[in-house]
Each structure stands twice: as structure tokens, then as C-alpha cells.
Amino acid sequence: MDDIIEALCCCAIFKSVDRAVIHNSISTAEYQIRQYDKNEFICREDQSTDYIGIVIWGCVEIQKISPSGNNVCLFYRNKGDMFGGAVVFSSEALYPCNVFSKDKSKILFLNKKSIFEMCKDPLIAENILKSFANSVFYFERRLELFSYSSIQKKIAFFLLNETKITGNLIIHLPFSKKTWAEYLNVSRPSLSRELKKLGNDHVIKINKDNIFIQNRQKLENLLQQ
């Protein structure tokens, strides 16, 4: 139970909620715990559900198959992150994409009725609304990202958004360049080539998993071209 409570303390719907309240909420809730091997499917497109998933440990990837047949990575979910919230409370309650375990993972599935019960706590209710609203903004950013045709523009859009979130010109990549390439929907060699060009032009400086933005104005100019 300790790893479950620890992950829930990191979850957006329990932000600033006392640990004892979280423990009491989950102890009276209807939920399931499941473990998945690497690359194992968790939910498939058009599958119905009454549960929100919360990652206890591991990593979950949400993919959408494009009209051309390519798998497009929409986003990742790590420890404490949720998935399926919009699905559960939609009128159809069907997954619009595939969800699978990027790494060996442990997932808590929280029943919709239990979430309604938790909403009796004003702070949890507020957190849930904020979380769903943030998801809408996230999807809007993803759609904008896909609207850029050039790789450099996708890189610029990603980095500039990260600086807005963190307020820092040093961006730490929480995943590998291969995963980053999948996120941007480009090939890894193409991503590496364009990053090298931006480095040679002194727009960015790369040090392992950290990217330092040397010239923010040039990144902004890329999006206006």
C-alpha cells in the first residue's frame, strides 16, 4: 500500500491533500491494481471503461494510429500521472487511442463512482476540474505541434513550451532522444541532424539530457517563418 499512497501523493487530483485523507479516500474506494510487462497493451482503441488509470510506477504511452497507418505518440504518463479521465466522463466512454505499457508498470484503476464520492472533498473536486482543464490545453498544444511541417519548428515549439512551463532556459529531457523523436513524430536520425544544426547556429547547446537555449529569439523566429 505504501507505493500506492506515495504515487497518489504525486497525482494531480490529490495535490495539496493531506496524506491521511488520501489514505482514507482510497481505502473506501473501488479500485483494481494491475501490473503490465513492457510493451503490453493496457487498453485498446474503442474499448469501454469505467475506470481512470493512475500510474503507481513505470511508464505508460498513449498512441493514435494516423490515417496513413503510422503510430503517433500523443503523450506519456509516469508515476502519479493519470490517463482515461476524459474517456470515463464522456458520453461514449470509449478510448479514442491505444494505451500500452512503455516499461514494466503498475497501474491503479479507480472506479468512476468512487471518484464522484471523492468529489465531496472540495479540494479534490477542484483538483479534478483543474486536471481535466489542463488536459484540454495539453491536447491543444499537441495539435499545434502537429501543425508544423518542419522538424526545426517542432523542436522550437517543444522547447519554447517547456520554458513557459518551467520558467527556465535549461530544459531537462525526461526521456531518451528516441522517445523524443516519437513524441515529435519524426525519425531519430532527422531529429539528431536538426538538433546539430541548431547547435552549430548557437541557438541551443546540448549537454547529455539537458538543452540550454542560447538564443530564444531565433527559436521564436522559426515559428513565424
Side-chain angles (χ1 to χ4, degrees):
M1 177 63 77
D2 287 345
D3 61 340
I4 294 175
I5 299 300
E6 183 182 350
L8 292 180
C9 286
C10 301
C11 183
I13 65 174
F14 295 109
K15 183 179 179 182
S16 301
V17 177
D18 187 84
R19 190 182 184 94
V21 174
I22 297 174
H23 189 281
N24 182 63
S25 296
I26 200 65
S27 63
T28 58
E30 180 184 341
Y31 66 90
Q32 301 173 8
I33 299 288
R34 295 179 185 173
Q35 294 192 36
Y36 297 88
D37 292 325
K38 183 177 180 179
N39 295 327
E40 184 177 355
F41 269 98
I42 297 173
C43 302
R44 296 182 181 273
E45 188 173 354
D46 293 331
Q47 179 179 332
S48 62
T49 184
D50 285 324
Y51 292 83
I52 284 180
I54 301 175
V55 182
I56 304 303
W57 45 258
C59 180
V60 167
E61 181 175 348
I62 288 80
Q63 283 190 351
K64 182 72 175 178
I65 301 177
S66 69
S68 61
N70 295 322
N71 287 323
V72 178
C73 173
L74 297 178
F75 49 79
Y76 294 95
R77 290 292 182 259
N78 298 296
K79 177 181 174 180
D81 291 336
M82 296 184 299
F83 62 90
V87 176
V88 167
F89 292 103
S90 69
S91 57
E92 294 185 359
L94 297 175
Y95 273 96
C97 44
N98 293 317
V99 182
F100 71 95
S101 184
K102 184 71 173 177
D103 299 312
K104 192 171 183 180
S105 304
K106 182 176 181 178
I107 312 295
L108 180 148
F109 291 94
L110 186 60
N111 186 269
K112 178 169 66 174
K113 292 181 180 178
S114 295
I115 298 171
F116 281 130
E117 285 297 314
M118 290 180 182
C119 283
K120 292 178 180 179
D121 184 303
L123 181 54
I124 294 178
E126 181 181 351
N127 286 341
I128 289 174
L129 290 173
K130 284 181 179 178
S131 178
F132 289 170
N134 288 338
S135 294
V136 172
F137 284 121
Y138 180 87
F139 273 110
E140 288 178 350
R141 289 197 299 270
R142 291 291 282 146
L143 287 173
E144 189 174 351
L145 172 65
F146 290 142
S147 71
Y148 293 112
S149 56
S150 80
I151 298 174
Q152 282 200 6
K153 287 185 177 182
K154 290 184 177 183
I155 294 171
F157 180 80
F158 175 87
L159 294 178
L160 289 171
N161 267 290
E162 289 298 308
T163 62
K164 290 178 183 178
I165 295 171
T166 64
N168 199 328
L169 291 179
I170 300 177
I171 308 301
H172 175 73
L173 293 178
F175 35 60
S176 67
K177 285 193 174 63
K178 179 179 181 296
T179 301
W180 190 18
E182 292 173 352
Y183 178 86
L184 297 177
N185 196 29
V186 300
S187 70
R188 183 178 177 180
S190 296
L191 174 62
S192 297
R193 182 181 65 248
E194 297 305 323
L195 287 173
K196 185 176 180 180
K197 287 181 181 179
L198 291 171
N200 291 338
D201 291 339
H202 304 291
V203 179
I204 61 173
K205 183 178 181 179
I206 302 175
N207 182 14
K208 295 183 179 179
D209 294 334
N210 294 314
I211 297 179
F212 174 65
I213 297 177
Q214 295 177 291
N215 194 323
R216 179 171 183 156
Q217 187 60 53
K218 283 190 176 181
L219 283 179
E220 293 175 348
N221 291 341
L222 277 173
L223 298 182
Q224 297 171 5
Q225 293 175 2

